[in-house]
């Protein structure tokens, strides 16, 4: 199967050329990185061209690279990762694009895959990534009065506010959190044989 994805990666490089910032097959996984400015045309082609036929977006998520790995990450902090499926060819693709700015912004792919609608709302809610052109970009998991974006790595574990029902005012009220801060255990970066191949591949791809 890895040879199949090696061939698919080669066809993608030939088709898109310098529109791809990265295109690498590792085992049965193919990862493509696209500059944010080229995201929509590349996605449109991946969906519509019969050679690729990625008709389904099966998942979309945000990524926060703050303190990524050993802390030496120097690229943009936020990215969006798209997982695509071609039913016609039975192959998959992981597509990554970085969102830059404050707030981080990137084009919505809802015009290409309608299934992106709620996924993008989730990434907006949890990471604060703004999807330009989204038809209804509102929070989807947290409350409308929620402060911040809880999947960002600098979001406090205890949150910013807590919500309770006030019987005197007969409504929900928001107040500063009253619980003690919790401290995480230090992150462990494993460097044994299970991770060496993947790490070497990632470093080669980012070089």
């Amino acid at each position: 199967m890895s040879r199949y994805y090696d061939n698919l990666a080669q066809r993608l490089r030939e088709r898109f050329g310098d529109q791809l910032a990265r295109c690498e097959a590792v085992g049965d996984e193919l990862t493509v990185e696209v500059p944010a400015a080229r995201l929509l045309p590349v996605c449109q082609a991946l969906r519509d061209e019969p050679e690729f036929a990625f008709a389904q977006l099966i998942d979309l998520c945000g990524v926060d690279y703050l303190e990524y790995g050993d802390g030496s990450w120097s690229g943009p902090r936020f990215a969006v990762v798209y997982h695509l499926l071609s039913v016609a060819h039975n192959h998959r693709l992981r597509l990554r694009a970085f969102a830059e700015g404050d707030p981080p912004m990137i084009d919505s792919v809802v015009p290409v895959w309608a299934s992106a609608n709620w996924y993008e709302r989730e990434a907006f809610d949890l990471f604060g990534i703004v999807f330009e052109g989204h038809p209804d970009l509102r929070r989807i998991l947290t409350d409308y009065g929620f402060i911040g974006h809880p999947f960002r790595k600098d979001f406090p574990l205890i949150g910013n506010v807590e919500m309770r029902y006030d019987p005197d005012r007969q409504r929900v009220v928001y107040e500063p959190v009253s619980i003690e801060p919790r401290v995480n255990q230090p992150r462990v970066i494993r460097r044994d044989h299970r991770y060496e191949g993947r790490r070497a591949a990632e470093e080669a791809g980012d070089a």
Side-chain angles (χ1 to χ4, degrees), residues 79-136:
V80 182
V81 177
Y82 310 81
H83 293 271
L84 310 180
L85 170 66
S86 170
V87 176
H89 300 303
N90 192 27
H91 56 215
R92 298 170 183 265
L93 175 67
R94 180 191 298 115
L95 179 69
R96 180 176 68 171
F98 285 97
E100 299 194 52
D102 185 18
M105 303 183 75
I106 196 167
D107 286 328
S108 169
V109 298
V110 170
V112 183
W113 296 288
S115 61
N117 192 319
W118 282 17
Y119 291 138
E120 290 183 349
R121 286 181 60 187
E122 181 182 56
F124 163 70
D125 192 356
L126 301 180
F127 290 93
I129 299 170
V130 176
F131 294 87
E132 294 189 277
H134 189 283
D136 186 20

Short mmCIF file of all heavy atoms in Angstrom, two decimals, residues 79-136:
data_model
loop_
_atom_site.label_atom_id
_atom_site.label_comp_id
_atom_site.label_asym_id
_atom_site.label_seq_id
_atom_site.Cartn_x
_atom_site.Cartn_y
_atom_site.Cartn_z
N ALA A 79 -3.03 25.79 12.70
CA ALA A 79 -3.25 25.15 11.41
C ALA A 79 -4.62 24.48 11.42
O ALA A 79 -5.21 24.23 12.47
CB ALA A 79 -2.17 24.11 11.13
N VAL A 80 -5.11 24.21 10.22
CA VAL A 80 -6.33 23.43 10.04
C VAL A 80 -5.95 22.19 9.25
O VAL A 80 -5.23 22.27 8.25
CB VAL A 80 -7.41 24.23 9.31
CG1 VAL A 80 -8.69 23.40 9.18
CG2 VAL A 80 -7.71 25.53 10.03
N VAL A 81 -6.41 21.04 9.72
CA VAL A 81 -6.11 19.76 9.07
C VAL A 81 -7.41 19.18 8.54
O VAL A 81 -8.41 19.08 9.27
CB VAL A 81 -5.43 18.78 10.04
CG1 VAL A 81 -5.19 17.44 9.37
CG2 VAL A 81 -4.11 19.37 10.55
N TYR A 82 -7.39 18.78 7.26
CA TYR A 82 -8.56 18.23 6.58
C TYR A 82 -8.27 16.78 6.22
O TYR A 82 -7.21 16.48 5.67
CB TYR A 82 -8.86 19.01 5.30
CG TYR A 82 -8.91 20.51 5.48
CD1 TYR A 82 -7.73 21.27 5.52
CD2 TYR A 82 -10.12 21.18 5.59
CE1 TYR A 82 -7.77 22.65 5.69
CE2 TYR A 82 -10.17 22.56 5.75
CZ TYR A 82 -8.99 23.29 5.79
OH TYR A 82 -9.03 24.66 5.95
N HIS A 83 -9.20 15.89 6.51
CA HIS A 83 -9.05 14.48 6.16
C HIS A 83 -10.04 14.17 5.05
O HIS A 83 -11.26 14.29 5.22
CB HIS A 83 -9.30 13.59 7.37
CG HIS A 83 -8.26 13.74 8.44
ND1 HIS A 83 -7.10 12.98 8.46
CD2 HIS A 83 -8.17 14.58 9.49
CE1 HIS A 83 -6.36 13.33 9.49
NE2 HIS A 83 -6.98 14.31 10.13
N LEU A 84 -9.50 13.78 3.89
CA LEU A 84 -10.30 13.59 2.69
C LEU A 84 -10.36 12.11 2.31
O LEU A 84 -9.40 11.36 2.52
CB LEU A 84 -9.72 14.39 1.52
CG LEU A 84 -9.41 15.88 1.80
CD1 LEU A 84 -8.84 16.53 0.56
CD2 LEU A 84 -10.65 16.61 2.29
N LEU A 85 -11.47 11.73 1.71
CA LEU A 85 -11.67 10.35 1.28
C LEU A 85 -12.19 10.33 -0.16
O LEU A 85 -13.12 11.06 -0.49
CB LEU A 85 -12.67 9.64 2.18
CG LEU A 85 -13.17 8.26 1.73
CD1 LEU A 85 -12.02 7.24 1.75
CD2 LEU A 85 -14.32 7.78 2.61
N SER A 86 -11.58 9.51 -0.98
CA SER A 86 -12.09 9.22 -2.32
C SER A 86 -12.73 7.84 -2.30
O SER A 86 -12.04 6.82 -2.18
CB SER A 86 -10.97 9.26 -3.36
OG SER A 86 -11.45 8.75 -4.60
N VAL A 87 -14.05 7.80 -2.39
CA VAL A 87 -14.75 6.52 -2.44
C VAL A 87 -14.47 5.83 -3.76
O VAL A 87 -14.29 4.60 -3.82
CB VAL A 87 -16.27 6.74 -2.24
CG1 VAL A 87 -17.03 5.43 -2.39
CG2 VAL A 87 -16.55 7.36 -0.88
N ALA A 88 -14.35 6.60 -4.84
CA ALA A 88 -14.14 6.03 -6.16
C ALA A 88 -12.81 5.28 -6.24
O ALA A 88 -12.72 4.22 -6.88
CB ALA A 88 -14.19 7.13 -7.22
N HIS A 89 -11.77 5.82 -5.60
CA HIS A 89 -10.44 5.21 -5.69
C HIS A 89 -10.01 4.53 -4.39
O HIS A 89 -8.94 3.92 -4.35
CB HIS A 89 -9.41 6.27 -6.06
CG HIS A 89 -9.66 6.94 -7.36
ND1 HIS A 89 -9.75 6.25 -8.55
CD2 HIS A 89 -9.86 8.25 -7.67
CE1 HIS A 89 -9.98 7.10 -9.53
NE2 HIS A 89 -10.06 8.32 -9.03
N ASN A 90 -10.80 4.67 -3.33
CA ASN A 90 -10.47 4.10 -2.03
C ASN A 90 -9.09 4.56 -1.54
O ASN A 90 -8.26 3.78 -1.12
CB ASN A 90 -10.52 2.56 -2.08
CG ASN A 90 -10.46 1.95 -0.68
OD1 ASN A 90 -10.86 2.57 0.30
ND2 ASN A 90 -9.95 0.73 -0.59
N HIS A 91 -8.87 5.87 -1.63
CA HIS A 91 -7.64 6.41 -1.04
C HIS A 91 -7.97 7.65 -0.21
O HIS A 91 -9.02 8.27 -0.36
CB HIS A 91 -6.55 6.70 -2.08
CG HIS A 91 -6.94 7.61 -3.20
ND1 HIS A 91 -6.47 7.45 -4.49
CD2 HIS A 91 -7.76 8.71 -3.24
CE1 HIS A 91 -6.97 8.41 -5.25
NE2 HIS A 91 -7.74 9.18 -4.51
N ARG A 92 -7.04 7.97 0.69
CA ARG A 92 -7.25 9.04 1.66
C ARG A 92 -6.13 10.04 1.58
O ARG A 92 -5.03 9.74 1.09
CB ARG A 92 -7.33 8.47 3.09
CG ARG A 92 -8.49 7.50 3.30
CD ARG A 92 -8.40 6.79 4.64
NE ARG A 92 -9.48 5.81 4.78
CZ ARG A 92 -10.63 6.04 5.39
NH1 ARG A 92 -10.86 7.23 5.93
NH2 ARG A 92 -11.54 5.11 5.48
N LEU A 93 -6.41 11.23 2.09
CA LEU A 93 -5.42 12.30 2.07
C LEU A 93 -5.59 13.18 3.31
O LEU A 93 -6.70 13.52 3.69
CB LEU A 93 -5.61 13.16 0.81
CG LEU A 93 -4.73 14.41 0.68
CD1 LEU A 93 -3.27 14.01 0.50
CD2 LEU A 93 -5.20 15.26 -0.50
N ARG A 94 -4.47 13.51 3.92
CA ARG A 94 -4.46 14.50 5.00
C ARG A 94 -3.92 15.80 4.43
O ARG A 94 -2.81 15.84 3.90
CB ARG A 94 -3.59 14.03 6.16
CG ARG A 94 -3.55 15.04 7.32
CD ARG A 94 -2.47 14.70 8.35
NE ARG A 94 -2.70 13.42 8.97
CZ ARG A 94 -1.89 12.37 8.84
NH1 ARG A 94 -0.80 12.45 8.08
NH2 ARG A 94 -2.16 11.23 9.44
N LEU A 95 -4.71 16.85 4.52
CA LEU A 95 -4.34 18.15 3.98
C LEU A 95 -4.19 19.15 5.12
O LEU A 95 -5.07 19.23 6.00
CB LEU A 95 -5.44 18.62 3.01
CG LEU A 95 -5.26 19.99 2.35
CD1 LEU A 95 -4.11 19.96 1.36
CD2 LEU A 95 -6.56 20.38 1.63
N ARG A 96 -3.10 19.91 5.14
CA ARG A 96 -2.86 20.88 6.20
C ARG A 96 -2.63 22.26 5.60
O ARG A 96 -1.95 22.40 4.58
CB ARG A 96 -1.65 20.49 7.05
CG ARG A 96 -1.36 21.47 8.19
CD ARG A 96 -0.22 21.00 9.07
NE ARG A 96 1.07 21.03 8.39
CZ ARG A 96 2.24 20.83 8.99
NH1 ARG A 96 2.28 20.58 10.28
NH2 ARG A 96 3.37 20.86 8.29
N ALA A 97 -3.22 23.26 6.23
CA ALA A 97 -2.99 24.65 5.85
C ALA A 97 -2.89 25.48 7.11
O ALA A 97 -3.64 25.26 8.07
CB ALA A 97 -4.12 25.17 4.95
N PHE A 98 -1.96 26.43 7.14
CA PHE A 98 -1.77 27.27 8.32
C PHE A 98 -2.62 28.53 8.22
O PHE A 98 -2.75 29.14 7.16
CB PHE A 98 -0.29 27.65 8.47
CG PHE A 98 0.56 26.52 8.97
CD1 PHE A 98 1.28 25.73 8.09
CD2 PHE A 98 0.63 26.25 10.33
CE1 PHE A 98 2.05 24.69 8.56
CE2 PHE A 98 1.41 25.20 10.80
CZ PHE A 98 2.11 24.41 9.91
N ALA A 99 -3.20 28.89 9.37
CA ALA A 99 -3.99 30.11 9.48
C ALA A 99 -3.14 31.15 10.20
O ALA A 99 -2.62 30.89 11.28
CB ALA A 99 -5.28 29.85 10.25
N GLU A 100 -2.99 32.31 9.59
CA GLU A 100 -2.14 33.35 10.18
C GLU A 100 -2.96 34.57 10.55
O GLU A 100 -4.10 34.74 10.11
CB GLU A 100 -1.02 33.72 9.20
CG GLU A 100 -0.12 32.54 8.86
CD GLU A 100 1.16 32.98 8.17
OE1 GLU A 100 1.84 33.88 8.71
OE2 GLU A 100 1.48 32.42 7.11
N GLY A 101 -2.37 35.44 11.34
CA GLY A 101 -3.03 36.67 11.75
C GLY A 101 -3.57 36.56 13.16
O GLY A 101 -3.46 35.52 13.82
N ASP A 102 -4.14 37.64 13.64
CA ASP A 102 -4.74 37.68 14.97
C ASP A 102 -6.08 38.41 14.87
O ASP A 102 -6.10 39.64 14.76
CB ASP A 102 -3.82 38.40 15.94
CG ASP A 102 -4.34 38.36 17.38
OD1 ASP A 102 -5.20 37.50 17.67
OD2 ASP A 102 -3.88 39.19 18.20
N PRO A 103 -7.19 37.68 14.85
CA PRO A 103 -7.30 36.23 15.04
C PRO A 103 -6.81 35.48 13.80
O PRO A 103 -6.82 36.03 12.70
CB PRO A 103 -8.81 36.03 15.25
CG PRO A 103 -9.43 37.12 14.45
CD PRO A 103 -8.53 38.30 14.64
N PRO A 104 -6.41 34.21 13.98
CA PRO A 104 -5.99 33.42 12.81
C PRO A 104 -7.16 33.23 11.86
O PRO A 104 -8.27 32.92 12.27
CB PRO A 104 -5.54 32.09 13.43
CG PRO A 104 -6.24 32.03 14.76
CD PRO A 104 -6.36 33.44 15.23
N MET A 105 -6.89 33.41 10.55
CA MET A 105 -7.96 33.35 9.56
C MET A 105 -7.57 32.46 8.39
O MET A 105 -6.39 32.38 8.02
CB MET A 105 -8.30 34.75 9.06
CG MET A 105 -8.69 35.73 10.14
SD MET A 105 -9.17 37.36 9.54
CE MET A 105 -10.80 36.97 8.90
N ILE A 106 -8.57 31.81 7.82
CA ILE A 106 -8.37 30.96 6.66
C ILE A 106 -9.70 30.84 5.94
O ILE A 106 -10.76 31.02 6.54
CB ILE A 106 -7.82 29.57 7.08
CG1 ILE A 106 -7.23 28.82 5.89
CG2 ILE A 106 -8.90 28.74 7.76
CD1 ILE A 106 -6.41 27.61 6.30
N ASP A 107 -9.67 30.55 4.65
CA ASP A 107 -10.91 30.43 3.88
C ASP A 107 -11.72 29.22 4.32
O ASP A 107 -11.16 28.16 4.63
CB ASP A 107 -10.60 30.30 2.38
CG ASP A 107 -10.14 31.61 1.77
OD1 ASP A 107 -10.59 32.67 2.24
OD2 ASP A 107 -9.32 31.58 0.84
N SER A 108 -13.02 29.38 4.31
CA SER A 108 -13.92 28.26 4.58
C SER A 108 -13.96 27.35 3.35
O SER A 108 -13.96 27.82 2.20
CB SER A 108 -15.33 28.77 4.87
OG SER A 108 -16.26 27.71 4.88
N VAL A 109 -14.01 26.04 3.58
CA VAL A 109 -14.14 25.09 2.48
C VAL A 109 -15.58 24.58 2.36
O VAL A 109 -15.83 23.61 1.65
CB VAL A 109 -13.16 23.91 2.61
CG1 VAL A 109 -11.72 24.39 2.56
CG2 VAL A 109 -13.43 23.10 3.88
N VAL A 110 -16.51 25.24 3.04
CA VAL A 110 -17.93 24.85 2.92
C VAL A 110 -18.39 24.88 1.46
O VAL A 110 -19.17 24.00 1.05
CB VAL A 110 -18.81 25.74 3.82
CG1 VAL A 110 -20.29 25.52 3.50
CG2 VAL A 110 -18.55 25.42 5.28
N PRO A 111 -17.95 25.87 0.62
CA PRO A 111 -18.37 25.82 -0.78
C PRO A 111 -17.89 24.58 -1.52
O PRO A 111 -18.46 24.21 -2.56
CB PRO A 111 -17.74 27.09 -1.38
CG PRO A 111 -17.53 28.00 -0.22
CD PRO A 111 -17.20 27.10 0.93
N VAL A 112 -16.85 23.93 -1.02
CA VAL A 112 -16.33 22.72 -1.67
C VAL A 112 -16.95 21.47 -1.06
O VAL A 112 -17.43 20.58 -1.78
CB VAL A 112 -14.79 22.67 -1.56
CG1 VAL A 112 -14.24 21.44 -2.29
CG2 VAL A 112 -14.16 23.94 -2.09
N TRP A 113 -16.92 21.39 0.26
CA TRP A 113 -17.54 20.25 0.97
C TRP A 113 -18.50 20.81 2.02
O TRP A 113 -18.07 21.41 3.02
CB TRP A 113 -16.47 19.40 1.67
CG TRP A 113 -15.52 18.73 0.73
CD1 TRP A 113 -15.75 17.68 -0.10
CD2 TRP A 113 -14.13 19.06 0.56
NE1 TRP A 113 -14.61 17.35 -0.79
CE2 TRP A 113 -13.60 18.17 -0.42
CE3 TRP A 113 -13.29 20.02 1.12
CZ2 TRP A 113 -12.28 18.22 -0.82
CZ3 TRP A 113 -11.97 20.08 0.72
CH2 TRP A 113 -11.47 19.18 -0.24
N ALA A 114 -19.77 20.61 1.82
CA ALA A 114 -20.77 21.14 2.75
C ALA A 114 -20.61 20.56 4.15
O ALA A 114 -20.99 21.20 5.14
CB ALA A 114 -22.18 20.85 2.22
N SER A 115 -20.02 19.38 4.26
CA SER A 115 -19.83 18.75 5.57
C SER A 115 -18.88 19.53 6.47
O SER A 115 -18.80 19.28 7.67
CB SER A 115 -19.32 17.31 5.40
OG SER A 115 -18.07 17.30 4.74
N ALA A 116 -18.15 20.49 5.89
CA ALA A 116 -17.21 21.28 6.68
C ALA A 116 -17.92 22.26 7.62
O ALA A 116 -17.29 22.80 8.53
CB ALA A 116 -16.27 22.07 5.76
N ASN A 117 -19.21 22.49 7.43
CA ASN A 117 -19.93 23.52 8.15
C ASN A 117 -19.75 23.41 9.66
O ASN A 117 -19.21 24.32 10.32
CB ASN A 117 -21.41 23.47 7.78
CG ASN A 117 -22.18 24.68 8.26
OD1 ASN A 117 -21.98 25.16 9.37
ND2 ASN A 117 -23.09 25.17 7.44
N TRP A 118 -20.20 22.33 10.24
CA TRP A 118 -20.11 22.19 11.70
C TRP A 118 -18.68 21.95 12.17
O TRP A 118 -18.31 22.36 13.26
CB TRP A 118 -21.04 21.07 12.18
CG TRP A 118 -22.48 21.50 12.24
CD1 TRP A 118 -23.03 22.59 11.63
CD2 TRP A 118 -23.53 20.86 12.95
NE1 TRP A 118 -24.37 22.65 11.90
CE2 TRP A 118 -24.71 21.61 12.71
CE3 TRP A 118 -23.61 19.73 13.75
CZ2 TRP A 118 -25.94 21.26 13.26
CZ3 TRP A 118 -24.84 19.37 14.29
CH2 TRP A 118 -25.99 20.14 14.06
N TYR A 119 -17.86 21.28 11.35
CA TYR A 119 -16.45 21.09 11.72
C TYR A 119 -15.76 22.44 11.88
O TYR A 119 -14.97 22.66 12.81
CB TYR A 119 -15.71 20.28 10.66
CG TYR A 119 -16.12 18.83 10.56
CD1 TYR A 119 -16.27 18.23 9.31
CD2 TYR A 119 -16.33 18.04 11.68
CE1 TYR A 119 -16.63 16.89 9.18
CE2 TYR A 119 -16.68 16.71 11.58
CZ TYR A 119 -16.83 16.14 10.32
OH TYR A 119 -17.18 14.82 10.21
N GLU A 120 -16.01 23.36 10.95
CA GLU A 120 -15.37 24.67 11.04
C GLU A 120 -15.90 25.47 12.23
O GLU A 120 -15.15 26.20 12.88
CB GLU A 120 -15.58 25.45 9.73
CG GLU A 120 -14.79 24.87 8.57
CD GLU A 120 -14.92 25.64 7.28
OE1 GLU A 120 -15.80 26.54 7.20
OE2 GLU A 120 -14.16 25.35 6.34
N ARG A 121 -17.17 25.32 12.51
CA ARG A 121 -17.71 25.98 13.71
C ARG A 121 -17.03 25.44 14.97
O ARG A 121 -16.74 26.19 15.91
CB ARG A 121 -19.22 25.77 13.79
CG ARG A 121 -20.01 26.61 12.81
CD ARG A 121 -21.51 26.37 12.95
NE ARG A 121 -21.99 26.71 14.29
CZ ARG A 121 -23.23 26.48 14.71
NH1 ARG A 121 -24.11 25.88 13.89
NH2 ARG A 121 -23.61 26.82 15.92
N GLU A 122 -16.77 24.15 15.00
CA GLU A 122 -16.09 23.56 16.15
C GLU A 122 -14.67 24.10 16.29
O GLU A 122 -14.22 24.47 17.38
CB GLU A 122 -16.06 22.04 16.02
CG GLU A 122 -15.38 21.33 17.18
CD GLU A 122 -15.33 19.83 16.98
OE1 GLU A 122 -14.80 19.39 15.94
OE2 GLU A 122 -15.82 19.10 17.85
N ALA A 123 -13.93 24.18 15.17
CA ALA A 123 -12.56 24.71 15.21
C ALA A 123 -12.55 26.18 15.59
O ALA A 123 -11.64 26.65 16.30
CB ALA A 123 -11.88 24.50 13.86
N PHE A 124 -13.57 26.92 15.15
CA PHE A 124 -13.69 28.32 15.57
C PHE A 124 -13.95 28.41 17.07
O PHE A 124 -13.33 29.21 17.78
CB PHE A 124 -14.83 28.99 14.80
CG PHE A 124 -15.30 30.28 15.43
CD1 PHE A 124 -14.50 31.41 15.41
CD2 PHE A 124 -16.53 30.35 16.06
CE1 PHE A 124 -14.92 32.60 16.02
CE2 PHE A 124 -16.96 31.52 16.66
CZ PHE A 124 -16.15 32.65 16.64
N ASP A 125 -14.86 27.60 17.56
CA ASP A 125 -15.23 27.63 18.97
C ASP A 125 -14.05 27.25 19.86
O ASP A 125 -13.74 27.92 20.84
CB ASP A 125 -16.39 26.65 19.18
CG ASP A 125 -17.06 26.81 20.54
OD1 ASP A 125 -16.60 27.62 21.36
OD2 ASP A 125 -18.06 26.11 20.78
N LEU A 126 -13.36 26.18 19.53
CA LEU A 126 -12.34 25.63 20.41
C LEU A 126 -10.96 26.25 20.23
O LEU A 126 -10.16 26.30 21.18
CB LEU A 126 -12.25 24.12 20.22
CG LEU A 126 -13.56 23.35 20.50
CD1 LEU A 126 -13.34 21.87 20.27
CD2 LEU A 126 -14.05 23.61 21.91
N PHE A 127 -10.65 26.73 19.00
CA PHE A 127 -9.32 27.28 18.74
C PHE A 127 -9.34 28.77 18.39
O PHE A 127 -8.28 29.40 18.35
CB PHE A 127 -8.64 26.52 17.60
CG PHE A 127 -8.24 25.12 17.94
CD1 PHE A 127 -9.08 24.06 17.68
CD2 PHE A 127 -7.01 24.85 18.53
CE1 PHE A 127 -8.73 22.76 18.01
CE2 PHE A 127 -6.64 23.56 18.85
CZ PHE A 127 -7.50 22.50 18.60
N GLY A 128 -10.51 29.32 18.08
CA GLY A 128 -10.57 30.72 17.69
C GLY A 128 -10.13 30.98 16.27
O GLY A 128 -9.80 32.11 15.91
N ILE A 129 -10.12 29.95 15.42
CA ILE A 129 -9.76 30.12 14.01
C ILE A 129 -10.99 30.63 13.26
O ILE A 129 -12.07 30.04 13.33
CB ILE A 129 -9.28 28.78 13.41
CG1 ILE A 129 -8.02 28.30 14.15
CG2 ILE A 129 -8.99 28.94 11.91
CD1 ILE A 129 -7.60 26.88 13.79
N VAL A 130 -10.83 31.73 12.54
CA VAL A 130 -11.94 32.34 11.81
C VAL A 130 -11.92 31.84 10.37
O VAL A 130 -10.90 31.96 9.68
CB VAL A 130 -11.83 33.88 11.84
CG1 VAL A 130 -12.93 34.51 10.98
CG2 VAL A 130 -11.92 34.39 13.27
N PHE A 131 -13.03 31.28 9.93
CA PHE A 131 -13.15 30.74 8.57
C PHE A 131 -13.90 31.76 7.71
O PHE A 131 -15.12 31.89 7.81
CB PHE A 131 -13.85 29.39 8.60
CG PHE A 131 -13.06 28.32 9.29
CD1 PHE A 131 -13.16 28.15 10.67
CD2 PHE A 131 -12.20 27.52 8.58
CE1 PHE A 131 -12.41 27.18 11.32
CE2 PHE A 131 -11.44 26.54 9.22
CZ PHE A 131 -11.55 26.38 10.59
N GLU A 132 -13.15 32.45 6.87
CA GLU A 132 -13.75 33.49 6.04
C GLU A 132 -14.68 32.87 5.00
O GLU A 132 -14.32 31.91 4.32
CB GLU A 132 -12.66 34.30 5.34
CG GLU A 132 -11.79 35.12 6.28
CD GLU A 132 -10.88 36.05 5.54
OE1 GLU A 132 -9.81 35.57 5.10
OE2 GLU A 132 -11.21 37.23 5.39
N GLY A 133 -15.88 33.42 4.90
CA GLY A 133 -16.86 32.92 3.94
C GLY A 133 -17.77 31.86 4.51
O GLY A 133 -18.65 31.35 3.80
N HIS A 134 -17.58 31.50 5.79
CA HIS A 134 -18.48 30.51 6.39
C HIS A 134 -19.88 31.11 6.50
O HIS A 134 -20.04 32.27 6.87
CB HIS A 134 -17.97 30.11 7.77
CG HIS A 134 -18.70 28.95 8.39
ND1 HIS A 134 -19.95 29.08 8.95
CD2 HIS A 134 -18.36 27.64 8.51
CE1 HIS A 134 -20.35 27.90 9.39
NE2 HIS A 134 -19.39 27.02 9.14
N PRO A 135 -20.93 30.32 6.21
CA PRO A 135 -22.28 30.89 6.19
C PRO A 135 -22.86 31.21 7.56
O PRO A 135 -23.82 32.00 7.65
CB PRO A 135 -23.11 29.80 5.49
CG PRO A 135 -22.36 28.53 5.75
CD PRO A 135 -20.90 28.92 5.74
N ASP A 136 -22.33 30.64 8.64
CA ASP A 136 -22.95 30.86 9.95
C ASP A 136 -21.95 30.51 11.05
O ASP A 136 -22.10 29.52 11.76
CB ASP A 136 -24.21 29.99 10.09
CG ASP A 136 -24.98 30.26 11.37
OD1 ASP A 136 -24.78 31.33 11.97
OD2 ASP A 136 -25.77 29.40 11.78
#
